[in-house]
């Protein structure tokens, strides 16, 4: 595959284990993850990929101990404050996906609104921060909207449902990378991930750098995407086998 992935999504996992291995508190692992976030955004921006999505906080992460949840809320705000101006200067448009839970503090909403307003007209890469995001909740939200609008059952198609997602213009994910060696989606962008190429890396998120993104993109280029079809080239055994299971890890 020659073309650059249009939408790369990263499940940023492994902060806790990174800290644990150093005898540090879990929150120190989250803090260390900021450098990886900056590196990933810069590398994606420089590669020319138009859509980058980062999984920052899941609807399930509310189950964590309250001090860690509190830290993650503040941490998100810190990442925005430290980086929004620089990302804005690069023409990056920043949007937040999810952010629906009443437990999100007002000060976090304020900073999110600020950065979304600041970067709204930017035409460079769109950075989607999945924050208080759950793929299932997204689908429930869209379904509710259809019901509220009285859309007749026979008019509910994939296109219509897709048009009722929070960001209907967010394209399908081409390349989905999860760090930390876990092999699961954890409720991430279920609608958009339907045909994503999956890459699982053993690196823990705070250690993630441009070279890891490049490694994943290189793997992606060696994959054959078939979308259920049966082209002549798809019938040949391809390098897909390289990426099977944990063999993708690094
Ligand atoms: C990812 O790292 C950060 C969030 C989920 C917010 P974890 O905190 O899940 O780290 P591990 O998986 O426990 O190592
Ligand atoms: C997924 O990681 C959520 C984010 C990366 C924000 P988790 O660490 O919360 O997922 P599980 O618990 O391993 O499925
Ligand atoms: Mg985790």
């Amino acid at each position: 595959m020659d073309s650059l992935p249009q939408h790369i999504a990263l499940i940023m996992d492994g902060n806790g284990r990174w800290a644990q291995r150093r005898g540090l508190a879990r929150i120190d692992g989250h803090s260390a993850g900021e450098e990886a976030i900056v590196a990933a955004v810069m590398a994606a921006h420089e590669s020319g990929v138009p859509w980058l999505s980062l999984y920052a906080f899941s609807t399930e992460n509310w189950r964590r101990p309250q001090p860690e949840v509190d830290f993650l809320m503040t941490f998100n705000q810190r990442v925005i404050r430290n980086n929004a101006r620089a990302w804005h200067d690069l023409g990056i448009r920043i949007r937040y996906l999810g952010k629906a839970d009443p437990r999100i503090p007002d000060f976090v909403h304020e900073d999110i609104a600020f950065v979304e307003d600041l970067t709204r007209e930017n035409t460079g890469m769109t950075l989607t921060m999945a924050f208080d995001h759950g793929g299932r909740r997204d689908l429930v939200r869209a379904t509710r909207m259809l019901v509220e609008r009285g859309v007749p059952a026979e008019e509910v198609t994939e296109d219509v449902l897709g048009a009722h997602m929070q960001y209907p213009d967010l394209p399908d994910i081409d390349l989905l990378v999860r760090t930390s060696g876990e092999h699961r989606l954890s409720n991430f962008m279920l609608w958009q991930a339907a045909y994503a190429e999956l890459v699982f890396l053993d690196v823990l998120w705070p250690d993630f750098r441009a070279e890891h993104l490049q490694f994943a993109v290189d793997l992606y280029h060696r994959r054959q995407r078939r979308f259920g079809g049966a082209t002549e080239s798809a019938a040949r055994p391809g390098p897909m086998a390289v990426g099977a299971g944990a063999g993708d890890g690094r």
Side-chain angles (χ1 to χ4, degrees):
M1 217 179 318
D2 295 330
S3 57
L4 194 70
Q6 294 298 292
H7 184 183
I8 298 179
L10 305 177
I11 300 179
M12 312 186 287
D13 196 21
N15 297 349
R17 278 162 284 171
W18 184 94
Q20 198 178 23
R21 284 177 198 178
R22 286 162 178 76
L24 301 169
R26 291 180 57 82
I27 58 172
D28 296 323
H30 299 313
S31 284
E34 181 174 351
E35 219 175 309
I37 293 173
V38 173
V41 171
M42 288 308 294
H45 165 75
E46 282 166 13
S47 79
V49 56
W51 300 86
L52 175 71
S53 297
L54 303 179
Y55 203 3
F57 191 91
S58 74
T59 48
E60 288 72 32
N61 286 149
W62 293 105
R63 295 180 187 146
R64 295 191 178 199
Q66 193 58 42
E68 184 173 347
V69 168
D70 291 344
F71 180 86
L72 285 167
M73 292 294 131
T74 317
F75 173 68
N76 176 69
Q77 187 203 30
R78 196 170 82 205
V79 171
I80 303 171
R81 291 208 163 166
N82 288 348
N83 301 288
R85 292 277 176 195
W87 291 343
H88 175 55
D89 289 345
L90 294 173
I92 296 173
R93 175 172 65 155
I94 303 167
R95 303 196 300 201
Y96 278 73
L97 177 69
K99 53 165 182 180
D101 196 290
R103 286 170 288 186
I104 299 173
D106 286 345
F107 64 84
V108 174
H109 278 300
E110 282 160 22
D111 277 8
I112 289 175
F114 171 78
V115 73
E116 287 184 335
D117 285 346
L118 176 72
T119 64
R120 193 177 304 280
E121 306 297 331
N122 287 350
T123 55
M125 183 174 82
T126 297
L127 172 61
T128 301
M129 288 286 197
F131 179 73
D132 178 42
H133 160 78
R136 287 184 171 182
R137 190 179 64 190
D138 273 6
L139 289 167
V140 169
R141 179 187 168 280
T143 307
R144 277 191 185 166
M145 217 173 271
L146 292 175
V147 172
E148 279 165 11
R149 291 180 185 171
V151 179
E154 61 276 14
E155 285 178 24
V156 179
T157 61
E158 291 187 11
D159 284 346
V160 168
L161 188 62
H164 287 78
M165 302 299 284
Q166 186 181 342
Y167 294 117
D169 59 340
L170 185 67
D172 282 355
I173 298 168
D174 296 305
L175 170 60
L176 196 164
V177 182
R178 182 172 187 146
T179 58
S180 90
E182 307 291 1
H183 296 171
R184 54 179 170 265
L185 292 180
S186 300
N187 199 16
F188 180 62
M189 289 199 187
L190 301 180
W191 180 259
Q192 297 86 353
Y195 250 107
E197 291 296 329
L198 309 179
V199 171
F200 300 104
L201 303 176
D202 286 338
V203 64
L204 300 173
W205 178 254
D207 293 326
F208 187 90
R209 292 294 180 272
E211 77 210 60
H212 300 101
L213 189 69
Q214 190 56 53
F215 176 82
V217 171
D218 289 347
L219 266 182
Y220 172 85
H221 284 306
R222 283 151 51 199
R223 300 266 176 97
Q224 285 184 345
R225 302 187 83 188
R226 295 174 192 148
F227 299 104
T231 60
E232 205 179 313
S233 61
R236 279 198 311 258
M240 193 83 181
V242 172
D248 260 6
R250 261 196 130 179

